[in-house]
């Protein structure tokens, strides 16, 4: 429950707020590096976190069955296909449905198409098809970041969790309200 951490009232000073965000050049460098290394799942996770604002834990535990194609009407009234993700957020247990960004959707669809019938999770290791562990994902993301840093040196200081803040920055710059951005992130405005 909120504020139930026993250390909450110890009045210990907290560290500085995290504020690192990626820019488009860093995002592109990460995606290119993941593709070059053959880490399709890591590239997909980078895209979902940056373009859909989702946490690493939620992405690692995303199940194939929770991604659905939907026909929706665009603002101009024309129908179009949309990939949606129906999931329960790991942090607070809220259920939500989000449209997958049109630039991330092809990566998600490619992983869904490659999934074996018995494969439950979207992100699977390329060597054996098993679900990524947090440790292995971190190791692979570190390799991607190191390779990306050769093309874009500023990427070296970027952590995967910074990609959620990047989503917030991009969505607010694109005109989304603070409340709408918070809804997607699963945070309070």
């Amino acid at each position: 429950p909120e504020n139930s951490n026993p250390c909450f009232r110890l009045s210990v000073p907290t560290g500085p707020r995290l504020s690192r965000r990626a820019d488009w050049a860093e995002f592109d460098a990460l995606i290119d590096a993941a593709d070059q290394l053959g880490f399709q799942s890591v590239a997909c996770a980078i895209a979902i976190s940056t373009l859909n604002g989702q946490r690493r834990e939620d992405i690692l535990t995303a199940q194939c069955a929770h991604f659905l194609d939907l026909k929706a009407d665009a603002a101009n009234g024309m129908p179009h296909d949309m990939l949606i993700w129906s999931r329960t957020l790991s942090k607070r247990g809220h259920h939500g449905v989000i449209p997958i960004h049109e630039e991330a959707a092809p990566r998600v669809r490619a992983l869904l198409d490659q999934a074996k019938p018995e494969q439950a999770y979207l992100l699977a290791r390329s060597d054996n098809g098993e679900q990524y562990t947090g440790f292995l994902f971190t190791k692979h993301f570190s390799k991607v970041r190191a390779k990306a840093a050769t093309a874009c040196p500023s990427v070296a200081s970027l952590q995967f969790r910074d990609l959620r803040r990047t989503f917030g920055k991009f969505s607010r710059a694109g005109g989304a309200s603070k409340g709408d951005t918070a809804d997607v992130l699963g945070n309070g405005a």
Side-chain angles (χ1 to χ4, degrees):
E2 192 77 30
N3 298 326
S4 65
N5 185 333
C7 297
F8 179 70
R9 302 201 192 292
L10 292 179
S11 300
V12 175
T14 59
R17 289 185 62 107
L18 300 172
S19 62
R20 177 70 164 95
R21 295 172 184 94
D23 60 25
W24 286 116
E26 292 171 327
F27 172 76
D28 291 341
L30 286 170
I31 292 289
D32 291 345
D35 286 343
Q36 290 170 18
L37 290 169
F39 292 149
Q40 290 177 302
S41 289
V42 177
C44 185
I46 291 166
I48 291 173
S49 188
T50 306
L51 302 173
N52 284 96
Q54 300 305 297
R55 287 182 176 85
R56 185 185 86 144
E57 182 64 24
D58 292 328
I59 297 168
L60 290 178
T61 59
Q63 296 189 21
C64 294
H66 295 164
F67 291 89
L68 308 164
D69 279 303
L70 178 73
K71 271 237 188 282
D73 288 334
N76 63 4
M78 298 296 295
H80 70 283
D81 293 327
M82 177 186 302
L83 182 63
I84 61 167
W85 181 14
S86 176
R87 83 275 186 254
T88 301
L89 296 171
S90 61
K91 186 170 182 180
R92 298 187 191 228
H94 297 119
H95 181 266
V97 177
I98 60 168
I100 297 297
H101 191 280
E102 63 187 26
E103 290 187 33
R107 291 186 178 280
V108 174
R109 282 193 175 99
L111 293 180
L112 290 171
D113 291 344
Q114 295 170 12
K116 295 176 178 57
E118 68 277 3
Q119 181 180 321
Y121 296 97
L122 176 69
L123 300 189
R125 294 171 44 179
S126 58
D127 59 344
N128 63 10
E130 292 181 7
Q131 178 190 12
Y132 259 101
T133 62
F135 175 78
L136 183 62
F137 182 83
T138 299
K139 185 176 175 180
H140 283 186
F141 180 75
S142 294
K143 288 180 180 180
V144 167
R145 183 180 54 210
K147 181 157 185 64
T150 62
C152 183
S154 61
V155 170
S157 65
L158 195 68
Q159 297 179 27
F160 189 83
R161 66 183 178 195
D162 298 329
L163 300 177
R164 274 177 46 83
R165 277 189 297 282
T166 302
F167 165 81
K169 172 184 148 185
F170 288 166
S171 64
R172 295 287 286 137
S177 71
K178 186 175 183 181
D180 285 347
T181 301
D183 284 346
V184 174
L185 291 170
N187 298 336

